[in-house]
Amino acid sequence: MKKNVKWAIVFGSVVAICVFVIIFGQLKSDKKGAEIYVDRKLYKAIDSIEDQETKSILIETENGWNRVCYGRGEIWVEEADCKNQVCVKHAKASFVGSSIICAPHKLVIKVVGGSGSGADAEV
Ligand SMILES: [Zn+2]
């Protein structure tokens, strides 16, 4: 019984450390931007998706159009004229490295870390 308690404490500490690391990692990369690629080429770079008010941009290509909205650290596809609507139904992307893909339009939206994150990293 005593052994179980000990293991519970060890396991609890490990979980607590993991949670702390994840939260700290997110706080560190709080300045987020986004990059929008069409056909593997950079179509538009958004410096920050952290604004309180939601902004939207219309991406028109020969394949079709997507209305992309961003704000409060998230980016998503509000509407599009693609057949499958996968990008519209996709969850909002908010983590650095996560992306939304619209395969029919060859569109990729990627959340990236804010510019100059290496220079102003001192805490
Ligand atoms: Zn789509």
Side-chain angles (χ1 to χ4, degrees), residues 13-108:
S13 316
V14 170
V15 170
I17 290 164
C18 287
V19 168
F20 180 77
V21 167
I22 291 164
I23 291 168
F24 187 72
Q26 282 178 13
L27 287 175
K28 223 174 125 187
S29 58
D30 60 347
K31 202 182 167 196
K32 283 180 289 188
E35 285 174 350
I36 298 166
Y37 293 87
V38 177
D39 209 4
R40 293 183 183 180
K41 288 186 205 98
L42 186 64
Y43 179 90
K44 192 175 169 64
I46 298 161
D47 287 339
S48 173
I49 57 169
E50 299 288 337
D51 289 355
Q52 285 301 303
E53 81 183 83
T54 303
K55 287 173 186 160
S56 84
I57 48 166
L58 186 67
I59 296 150
E60 278 182 289
T61 66
E62 55 189 15
N63 306 313
W65 58 266
N66 297 64
R67 184 175 294 282
V68 176
C69 292
Y70 58 94
R72 299 185 186 204
E74 295 177 320
I75 187 161
W76 66 97
V77 179
E78 185 69 31
E79 47 181 345
D81 72 339
C82 59
K83 282 177 198 157
N84 60 18
Q85 297 284 296
V86 166
C87 57
V88 181
K89 287 172 194 159
H90 197 286
K92 293 178 180 182
S94 57
F95 296 105
V96 172
S98 59
S99 57
I100 299 170
I101 295 162
C102 180
H105 294 175
K106 295 175 183 170
L107 184 89
V108 178

